[in-house]
Amino acid sequence: MARRRRRDDDGASLILVMMFVIGVGLVVGSLLAYTSVGITSATKTLAANQSSADVAGALQLAVNDVRQSGYFNDPTYNAKCFESGAHDGAGTSKMYPAPSGGVVQVKCSPDPAGGSSGSLVESTTTVQSQQALLTLATAQTGIVDSGNNPLRINGSVYSNSGISVPTGSNCPEAWPPPSATTNCNGFYVGGATSTITAEGSCAGTVYPQAGVAVARSCNATSQTVGTDPGLVHPAEFQAPTAPTAAPSPAAPTSCSGSVVHFYPGLYTSATALNNITASNSCKNKVFWFHQGVYAFDFQDSPASKRVWKLAVPSTLVAGAATTPSSAVPGQCVAPQTGGSTSGAQFIFQGTSQLEISDGGFEICAPYSASTVPLKVPIAFFGGGGAPGPVVSVTSTAAVNPTVFVQGWTYMPAASVSVNLKKATNTVFKYPVVVSTIDLKISPNSATSLPVIDLGTPATRLVVAPTTVFLTAWSCASPTDAPTTATCSVLGRAKVRYTDNCLTPCPAGQRSVSVLGWKLER
């Protein structure tokens, strides 16, 4: 009889082992596939992040490069968005090396809706980086401080030639200046952000509040802030139409009454004016030059008589007067931010000159915030043909006039001289732009009074903010222009630049606002 073979579970165990091996293989295979996808994804993410970092870095560098330039989107001004290292001749494109390799090309273009045209706008800022004094002469010393006491100006100073402090012993180079009655000579400029710049030498004590190392530059290279602002903003600095007809009512021939009235028009005789303003019979009067434009084109013979003189203890007020009296300043309405005032403007033509040696003098320029473009409030225009200073202030130990100019003195071809032995107040509350100026100030007290003070002007005009687009491109070839089919946009920034200056601020002084920022992924 055949014996039956005994059953066991050896075959079942083999099946279980095979199933386990297959299961593990499937799991491991899935994990390997997932890991491969993850590694690929991580590589792509890392590359994208690196690309974003490259683009962001290039845009940040471009933002700063434009800030350091003099660019302000004025078609009449030959400034470039990128003044150095530009990829194109127009200065609108620049390449930046990418840390990951290659380059990022950034193109700069003005915002057609928000860029400026180089026009002026009102500003209520209190920064004193604006020019308080700008002299344009290049062949002779622009600024001469010929006194024997410390002299102070609040606001920046620029000379297209030199600054000279030639007389007396030198005051120390330190801030604050010595007492104003100290027997030493020094030219001091106040304001934490104010600067002193001379394209020629600085002789004597010439010292800014912020210190020599950061705020004084002598024998400097030419800068945009030293440009005649009338060339940069011709419409805003355009002189009013000079009258060609005699005033109506006619100029007075006597001084009856406490107030003597003058009206806008053309004045051709200094002698006729001097019969009033320099006559002892007209002492203690108020000479009111009503608001409007005055042209002084003296034809007296000989030419030495073409000097109009305020030489008696009376007060000349020019502009929209408040209540005319002898108390200067404060007798006319100053230009006001956001407002409109009818002031007076004096235009000096030919060889005509004005000399103030007694009494009080105050002029307030006209201004309207609604004018397009804004007109700079200018009190004094013209000059350049006179044999000496077009406007001069002189004094003696016994007789000292009080002068207050509330408006710009804009006479690029003329000279001005201010000699006050017992100064009691600031003379100029607005910037002075002349060919040369001679200052000789001896204060009435130990308090240092700035002869020009931009600390709290009634109106301040600055270049309108400029808004630009900075677009980052990647091109197949570095030589491709960033608009061709071989290039793609990587990112874009919208940036506003604000100059607290009348002409483009010195490098680095512009304020920056990033209005938009986008990186492509």
Side-chain angles (χ1 to χ4, degrees):
M1 181 173 94
R3 202 168 92 184
R4 296 181 63 184
R5 190 172 179 179
R6 185 168 56 93
R7 296 177 177 269
D8 57 30
D9 55 2
D10 290 344
S13 298
L14 179 61
I15 293 173
L16 289 174
V17 170
M18 293 178 64
M19 291 176 62
F20 176 78
V21 172
I22 292 172
V24 170
L26 291 173
V27 171
V28 172
S30 299
L31 289 174
L32 289 174
Y34 178 80
T35 301
S36 175
V37 171
I39 292 173
T40 302
S41 177
T43 302
K44 291 181 178 179
T45 301
L46 179 62
N49 289 340
Q50 185 62 60
S51 175
S52 296
D54 292 344
V55 174
L59 287 174
Q60 289 171 358
L61 290 172
V63 168
N64 189 60
D65 281 346
V66 178
R67 178 174 181 261
Q68 296 289 340
S69 76
Y71 179 77
F72 66 107
N73 186 21
D74 179 357
T76 66
Y77 185 75
N78 188 28
K80 298 178 179 179
C81 203
F82 299 113
E83 290 186 344
S84 62
H87 176 52
D88 60 347
T92 62
S93 179
K94 187 172 181 177
M95 294 182 182
Y96 295 91
S100 62
V103 295
V104 176
Q105 193 170 164
V106 178
K107 183 176 177 62
C108 172
S109 58
D111 176 10
S116 77
S117 58
S119 59
L120 299 180
V121 295
E122 287 186 338
S123 172
T124 57
T125 60
T126 57
V127 295
Q128 294 175 337
S129 58
Q130 280 200 324
Q131 303 298 336
L133 174 60
L134 170 62
T135 60
L136 299 172
T138 57
Q140 60 191 117
T141 303
I143 301 170
V144 176
D145 173 7
S146 56
N148 195 38
N149 296 102
L151 180 147
R152 187 157 64 92
I153 290 175
N154 277 353
S156 293
V157 170
Y158 193 105
S159 171
N160 276 268
S161 52
I163 301 174
S164 177
V165 187
T167 58
S169 59
N170 290 333
C171 293
E173 288 197 340
W175 192 270
S179 166
T181 55
T182 304
N183 188 25
C184 67
N185 199 10
F187 184 85
Y188 294 89
V189 170
T193 60
S194 296
T195 59
I196 299 174
T197 306
E199 294 185 19
S201 63
C202 299
T205 298
V206 179
Y207 196 82
Q209 179 177 340
V212 171
V214 297
R216 188 183 77 181
S217 180
C218 304
N219 295 307
T221 56
S222 179
Q223 300 179 16
T224 55
V225 291
T227 305
D228 177 355
L231 299 179
V232 181
H233 307 288
E236 290 85 345
F237 278 83
Q238 183 177 14
T241 301
T244 56
S248 180
T253 57
S254 65
C255 49
S256 59
S258 61
V259 179
V260 183
H261 298 269
F262 293 80
Y263 295 92
L266 172 64
Y267 289 76
T268 58
S269 174
T271 302
L273 285 169
N274 291 338
N275 287 338
I276 304 292
T277 63
S279 171
N280 285 328
S281 63
C282 295
K283 293 180 180 179
N284 304 315
K285 303 286 186 177
V286 173
F287 308 133
W288 182 10
F289 283 69
H290 289 250
Q291 55 264 40
V293 179
Y294 294 77
F296 302 102
D297 190 4
F298 302 140
Q299 302 299 315
D300 307 81
S301 182
S304 59
K305 292 186 176 182
R306 296 172 187 173
V307 181
W308 171 27
K309 299 180 179 181
L310 178 60
V312 292
S314 292
T315 299
L316 188 154
V317 178
T322 51
T323 304
S325 71
S326 59
V328 171
Q331 294 308 304
C332 54
V333 182
Q336 296 294 325
T337 298
S340 178
T341 57
S342 299
Q345 294 177 300
F346 285 2
I347 303 175
F348 292 90
Q349 299 174 323
T351 58
S352 304
Q353 295 172 268
L354 168 63
E355 180 184 285
I356 305 168
S357 60
D358 201 352
F361 179 96
E362 183 174 12
I363 182 172
C364 294
Y367 178 72
S368 175
S370 60
T371 302
V372 180
L374 282 176
K375 297 289 186 180
V376 175
I378 298 176
F380 289 133
F381 276 103
V390 173
V391 176
S392 61
V393 180
T394 64
S395 64
T396 65
V399 179
N400 194 71
T402 301
V403 179
F404 207 63
V405 181
Q406 302 221 57
W408 282 64
T409 298
Y410 180 68
M411 298 189 289
S415 296
V416 168
S417 173
V418 180
N419 179 352
L420 291 173
K421 292 191 178 297
K422 292 185 178 180
T424 58
N425 64 277
T426 292
V427 176
F428 301 97
K429 285 293 291 182
Y430 283 77
V432 176
V433 180
V434 292
S435 177
T436 66
I437 190 167
D438 189 310
L439 300 169
K440 188 176 183 180
I441 309 296
S442 299
N444 193 42
S445 68
T447 303
S448 180
L449 290 168
V451 64
I452 306 174
D453 187 5
L454 296 193
T456 54
T459 59
R460 184 188 296 278
L461 302 180
V462 298
V463 176
T466 297
T467 304
V468 301
F469 285 114
L470 296 171
T471 307
W473 297 76
S474 174
C475 300
S477 170
T479 60
D480 290 343
T483 53
T484 66
T486 61
C487 303
S488 59
V489 175
L490 300 178
R492 202 178 203 199
K494 184 178 181 180
V495 186
R496 176 180 295 153
Y497 296 91
T498 302
D499 290 75
N500 287 313
C501 308
L502 194 75
T503 52
C505 289
Q509 288 189 13
R510 318 178 91 184
S511 60
V512 178
S513 300
V514 178
L515 306 180
W517 187 275
K518 182 182 179 182
L519 302 180
E520 302 292 341
R521 288 185 178 272

